[in-house]
Amino acid sequence: MGRRQRKRRGNHASPPVNEATIEDDEESSQFYQIEMSDVMGRYLVAKSDIPAGTVILEENPLVVGPSQGTSPICIACYEPIQLSTCARCKSCSWPLCRNNCQAIGNNYGHLQQECEILKYSEVIPSSENSLYNVLTPLRVLLLKNQNETEWSIISSMEAHQKFRQTTEMWKSDEIIINYVKNNTKLTQLTEDAVHSVCGYIQVNGFGVEGKDVTAIFPSAFLLSHDCTPNTTHVIDSKFHLTIRTTIPIKKGDPLTISYCNTLHGSMWRREQLLGSKFFDCTCKRCSDKTEFNTFMSAIKCENCQNGYLLPANPLYNCSDWKCDKCCNQKQKEIIYNFINRLFEEAEQLTNGTVSDNEKFLLTQQKYLHPNHFVLLSIKLKLSQLYGKSHDCIIHNMTEDQLKRKINICKDIIKILDVIEPGLSRIRGITLYEIHAPTFILGMNHFKKSNDKRKFKQVIKEVKCLLHESTTILNIEDPTSKEGQVGKAAADALKQMES
């Protein structure tokens, strides 16, 4: 993960690589091998042709802990808590969800070694929770004395010290440094060592969906970034990581993952990557101002009313935006501020009704390309709201509403086919959303026409939708939202087949 980022910046030499370790890694995986390049450092490539849907990597984390800036959570199981009323560890007084939390003593929970360090201090999270930022770096630092093998893996990762020094994150490391030096027995640690650990976590950590938690894995950090990745990953409730291919991959092709939200436009993805991972992405999608002709960032030109404003140089962060049909152009700041305002308005519609979201779409499509990522975010909400919101239950929907839900889902799939091709999680959910309105419309038509041949075609289409949805989502954690949708798809498929 860090290797490719650092090399792209081109300001550091590669650290020495243990060739024996690389050979061992190659022998241990039938799907990938580790290669080296001046541009990407160490990275994973396919050993042979790999079909879509293949699980290529499964592993448990080296470290799990609270994310930086987390809201108050139990330090053992990570469930949300209230600091003023929560239980406390009897030994160190740090926050727990309850005195007998099942995660106390677990590998990825609150271990005794950590407790011994924490109880040395009288400083604990109370009215404010910034001390949570200490916990995950502390858990990494403890590996240094307790597990030499795991520490050597983490210390081989990229920390991007030079670039972090110019950020607010570097300043926030001071809270951790002061705590370690003044409130623990780890006084022998240098400030540089603590800064490095904070960098390892920031650059190489994986967020865990549904929890304010970060996990570091022993091999997954070696996957290169791409804004159109060829793999997807899931971390289950026990923090076990599974990575699988979403499209067929040819021998020698890099195995890629996305470190950012692929559903955002290029300027916003690149800003996120530069701010959190410290590299300027130059992947094929970022290099194409149209984002593979999806026009996900394009704004309608108010001058000619026929063209779209796009970045003149998509890899230059301060590039002006120019119309693709006339001479009109805008400064980057104007575009950036305009879209950020619209995106904030879209975010405020989280609890909005179908009508609220449709009104937003109708208003803003006058200014944006139909595929714009802000409009896509609204369509994703509508794909869920149609059929599930209190004012639009599936069995009470009109024929027009059923068709609208299908068309919205097809708009989403059309974009996913380009930016997240293959067996992506969002595709699986969207396919499930299409099946019910398709079946209901088919049933209604059959009742009117008694056309059995056409109804059999509808049944076949619905079964295909459910089969692909199940195939995509059956890898998800059964307790997650995606896992539950996958189970619902599998149950519906059984009903259709019977």
Side-chain angles (χ1 to χ4, degrees):
M1 197 168 176
R3 293 290 179 266
R4 183 175 188 181
Q5 295 160 2
R6 173 178 42 73
K7 278 297 191 175
R8 277 184 167 176
R9 300 289 296 224
N11 292 311
H12 298 271
S14 292
V17 177
N18 188 326
E19 297 295 339
T21 301
I22 290 179
E23 290 174 4
D24 291 342
D25 284 345
E26 289 179 4
E27 291 173 2
S28 67
S29 173
Q30 67 184 93
F31 298 111
Y32 62 80
Q33 62 190 33
I34 301 175
E35 295 203 353
M36 293 281 296
S37 81
D38 292 337
V39 175
M40 299 167 67
R42 289 192 295 170
Y43 65 104
L44 303 185
V45 300
K47 255 185 183 178
S48 58
D49 291 353
I50 307 175
T54 303
V55 174
I56 59 169
L57 176 64
E58 290 188 88
E59 58 185 4
N60 292 317
L62 302 171
V63 174
V64 175
S67 300
Q68 297 292 290
T70 179
S71 54
I73 55 176
C74 172
I75 65 169
C77 71
Y78 313 112
E79 289 301 309
I81 58 171
Q82 294 291 331
L83 285 175
S84 58
T85 58
C86 68
R88 297 278 175 166
C89 175
K90 294 180 180 179
S91 180
C92 68
S93 299
W94 274 60
L96 298 171
C97 60
R98 53 187 180 277
N99 291 326
N100 62 343
C101 175
Q102 296 300 304
I104 296 174
N106 286 358
N107 283 339
Y108 307 123
H110 182 43
L111 292 172
Q112 184 177 352
Q113 300 94 317
E114 170 183 282
C115 194
E116 290 296 321
I117 297 292
L118 294 176
K119 75 178 184 181
Y120 183 79
S121 170
E122 296 180 358
V123 182
I124 59 174
S126 53
S127 58
E128 58 89 28
N129 59 327
S130 62
L131 275 182
Y132 275 99
N133 293 348
V134 170
L135 205 56
T136 306
L138 182 62
R139 291 177 180 180
V140 176
L141 287 165
L142 287 173
L143 285 180
K144 192 170 185 179
N145 297 325
Q146 296 171 1
N147 194 315
E148 183 177 344
T149 300
E150 292 185 352
W151 171 253
S152 68
I153 295 172
I154 288 180
S155 61
S156 74
M157 298 177 183
E158 180 55 67
H160 279 310
Q161 295 297 71
K162 180 174 180 179
F163 303 114
R164 289 186 77 250
Q165 288 178 16
T166 63
T167 69
E168 290 298 318
M169 291 299 296
W170 184 269
K171 296 177 183 178
S172 67
D173 292 352
E174 295 298 324
I175 296 174
I176 302 164
I177 292 170
N178 291 336
Y179 182 89
V180 169
K181 282 187 164 294
N182 300 325
N183 299 289
T184 74
K185 298 177 181 180
L186 305 175
T187 54
Q188 76 280 9
L189 289 169
T190 64
E191 290 189 11
D192 283 346
V194 179
H195 277 305
S196 292
V197 164
C198 293
Y200 297 147
I201 297 167
Q202 182 182 355
V203 174
N204 302 281
F206 282 71
V208 179
E209 191 168 350
K211 292 182 179 291
D212 277 338
V213 170
T214 298
I216 300 180
F217 294 90
S219 302
F221 75 97
L222 288 169
L223 272 80
S224 303
H225 165 78
D226 197 282
C227 291
T228 311
N230 56 27
T231 73
T232 186
H233 71 277
V234 59
I235 302 173
D236 67 19
S237 58
K238 295 181 179 179
F239 307 111
H240 183 76
L241 172 72
T242 302
I243 297 179
R244 66 171 174 172
T245 57
T246 54
I247 59 175
I249 299 175
K250 292 190 176 298
K251 179 180 179 179
D253 284 353
L255 299 173
T256 61
I257 197 168
S258 179
Y259 310 156
C260 62
N261 189 338
T262 59
L263 303 184
H264 286 176
S266 288
M267 183 161 63
W268 290 264
R269 293 194 316 278
R270 297 184 79 245
E271 179 187 54
Q272 179 187 350
L273 291 167
L274 185 59
S276 62
K277 305 299 183 182
F278 309 105
F279 74 102
D280 284 308
C281 185
T282 58
C283 72
K284 290 182 179 179
R285 181 179 169 193
C286 286
S287 301
D288 180 359
K289 63 183 178 182
T290 70
E291 300 186 51
F292 302 144
N293 290 317
T294 62
F295 289 82
M296 285 185 65
S297 301
I299 299 172
K300 285 188 177 180
C301 177
E302 80 281 11
N303 184 50
C304 68
Q305 298 292 318
N306 190 38
Y308 289 97
L309 292 167
L310 295 163
N313 182 350
L315 298 182
Y316 176 50
N317 295 331
C318 296
S319 172
D320 286 345
W321 285 49
K322 297 181 178 180
C323 177
D324 60 353
K325 292 290 191 300
C326 72
C327 60
N328 187 28
Q329 67 181 57
K330 299 282 186 184
Q331 290 182 330
K332 174 249 184 180
E333 288 76 13
I334 295 174
I335 301 293
Y336 185 78
N337 292 335
F338 171 62
I339 297 302
N340 274 354
R341 179 177 60 81
L342 290 186
F343 196 70
E344 288 174 4
E345 291 179 15
E347 289 289 291
Q348 291 171 6
L349 291 174
T350 300
N351 298 318
T353 64
V354 168
S355 178
D356 294 334
N357 283 275
E358 287 284 18
K359 183 178 179 181
F360 183 91
L361 272 184
L362 184 63
T363 301
Q364 303 308 332
Q365 65 188 9
K366 300 174 185 176
Y367 310 107
L368 307 174
H369 189 279
N371 290 345
H372 197 281
F373 76 91
V374 173
L375 301 185
L376 177 62
S377 71
I378 296 295
K379 289 179 180 179
L380 285 165
K381 294 174 188 175
L382 283 169
S383 71
Q384 305 279 319
L385 286 173
Y386 273 115
K388 296 177 183 176
S389 63
H390 68 277
D391 60 337
C392 199
I393 300 297
I394 186 71
H395 296 296
N396 296 331
M397 287 168 61
T398 66
E399 185 169 313
D400 285 344
Q401 288 175 324
L402 292 168
K403 290 179 178 178
R404 176 61 175 158
K405 180 179 174 75
I406 292 172
N407 288 334
I408 286 173
C409 290
K410 287 183 176 179
D411 285 347
I412 295 169
I413 292 292
K414 184 179 178 181
I415 297 175
L416 293 179
D417 283 342
V418 179
I419 63 168
E420 278 197 17
L423 308 177
S424 71
R425 184 182 293 116
I426 300 174
R427 183 186 185 86
I429 292 174
T430 306
L431 290 170
Y432 176 76
E433 292 297 335
I434 298 177
H435 96 274
T438 301
F439 178 76
I440 293 172
L441 284 174
M443 177 66 78
N444 291 343
H445 182 268
F446 174 67
K447 288 178 180 179
K448 294 176 183 178
S449 66
N450 200 33
D451 187 341
K452 293 182 180 180
R453 184 185 62 81
K454 188 166 185 179
F455 188 54
K456 285 182 179 180
Q457 290 177 345
V458 170
I459 295 293
K460 184 177 180 180
E461 180 184 354
V462 171
K463 287 169 68 174
C464 287
L465 291 169
L466 290 170
H467 182 269
E468 187 175 355
S469 177
T470 302
T471 300
I472 293 172
L473 299 177
N474 67 0
I475 196 176
E476 300 291 333
D477 181 355
T479 63
S480 68
K481 173 188 172 184
E482 294 82 4
Q484 291 169 5
V485 173
K487 184 180 184 305
D491 291 343
L493 181 58
K494 288 179 183 178
Q495 293 178 9
M496 296 299 296
E497 288 176 339
S498 64

